[in-house]
Amino acid sequence: MKPKFIFLLCFLAMANTLSAELQANTPPSVPSASQFETEVRKIEQAYKADPANELLRSQLLAAYQQMSALLVKEDNLNDALHYLEWAEQLERGGSSSTSNSGDGYFVLGVAELEKGNLKQAQDNFDRAVELKPNDEKVRKSIGTVLHNFGVEKVNKKEYKESLPYLELAVRYYDKIQNTWEVLGDLAYSMQDLRKAKEY
């Protein structure tokens, strides 16, 4: 065999090995919401045919929550909300007392904040707290996110715009000392000494 031909065979063998290794190490691609919707519809049909089947109910619940997360990623917040509401209805009909939809509402609330929709974010945060009333982590997460958005506005010298975020932050979770300090500084800078002292 000619040396060039042997080299070519070795190169092709290495390329095939490398390609196989890369495919094995590549994480599975995340489907788009439209791709995943077909699977959701199949699970819905199976559940409608056998609504007493607890396994199908939990699979449909997970599918709704996954669909909501995909829609949030794709910035389709209205449809994401619908899927969360359907998931919540399924949770109410099930035997488990815990709610994973509360986490979905939290994620949706953060997405609304990033779009500048404070009212919609608050609605979603309220729903997250209602679904997980005894989970202090949910309140702390909401308070921390609102605090960070408020401080970001303070750093941009948007003082009045920062107030609703910071005031909501302490409404959800009043144990973030730094939020109180920022509120006190803002009140002081606005000559509201009574509020500054209160904060």
Side-chain angles (χ1 to χ4, degrees):
M1 242 189 251
K2 294 182 180 176
K4 281 185 181 175
F5 188 69
I6 293 171
F7 174 78
L8 182 61
L9 284 176
C10 290
F11 177 79
L12 287 172
M14 282 175 39
N16 284 338
T17 304
L18 184 59
S19 174
E21 284 176 14
L22 283 174
Q23 286 175 357
N25 292 330
T26 303
S29 62
V30 178
S32 69
S34 59
Q35 291 170 324
F36 190 64
E37 190 173 16
T38 307
E39 296 306 312
V40 174
R41 297 297 163 247
K42 288 177 187 174
I43 301 169
E44 277 179 337
Q45 288 174 352
Y47 179 66
K48 282 177 184 171
D50 187 6
N53 189 321
E54 193 62 25
L55 178 62
L56 283 174
R57 191 195 67 79
S58 64
Q59 286 176 340
L60 183 57
L61 175 60
Y64 281 162
Q65 290 166 342
Q66 177 66 30
M67 188 68 174
S68 177
L70 289 171
L71 288 163
V72 167
K73 270 187 171 178
E74 294 177 9
D75 204 26
N76 187 346
L77 304 187
N78 286 336
D79 286 348
L81 178 60
H82 293 310
Y83 276 96
L84 271 180
E85 288 168 345
W86 295 335
E88 187 186 338
Q89 287 173 1
L90 273 177
E91 280 180 332
R92 273 193 245 122
S95 57
S96 174
S97 61
T98 61
S99 169
N100 290 323
S101 294
D103 297 332
Y105 280 105
F106 169 74
V107 170
L108 192 54
V110 173
E112 291 285 10
L113 276 183
E114 288 171 350
K115 292 175 80 69
N117 302 328
L118 183 58
K119 176 68 177 94
Q120 289 91 331
Q122 185 179 349
D123 290 345
N124 287 304
F125 291 151
D126 285 346
R127 199 73 201 110
V129 170
E130 283 174 34
L131 290 170
K132 293 190 158 194
N134 302 320
D135 191 341
E136 189 178 356
K137 287 186 287 186
V138 171
R139 289 183 167 277
K140 184 176 182 180
S141 297
I142 294 169
T144 302
V145 165
L146 287 163
H147 167 87
N148 291 340
F149 271 85
V151 168
E152 187 178 316
K153 292 201 173 290
V154 168
N155 292 338
K156 292 178 183 174
K157 300 192 184 327
E158 298 172 0
Y159 302 122
K160 282 188 178 175
E161 293 84 353
S162 70
L163 281 173
Y165 293 90
L166 296 166
E167 288 169 347
L168 268 179
V170 294
R171 194 191 107 197
Y172 285 106
Y173 192 73
D174 62 0
K175 296 174 185 162
I176 303 173
Q177 184 179 348
N178 198 15
T179 309
W180 291 111
E181 291 171 8
V182 175
L183 279 167
D185 290 343
L186 284 170
Y188 186 79
S189 70
M190 294 175 188
Q191 307 292 308
D192 191 341
L193 301 182
R194 184 188 62 78
K195 266 200 167 180
K197 186 177 180 182
E198 182 186 317
Y199 291 142

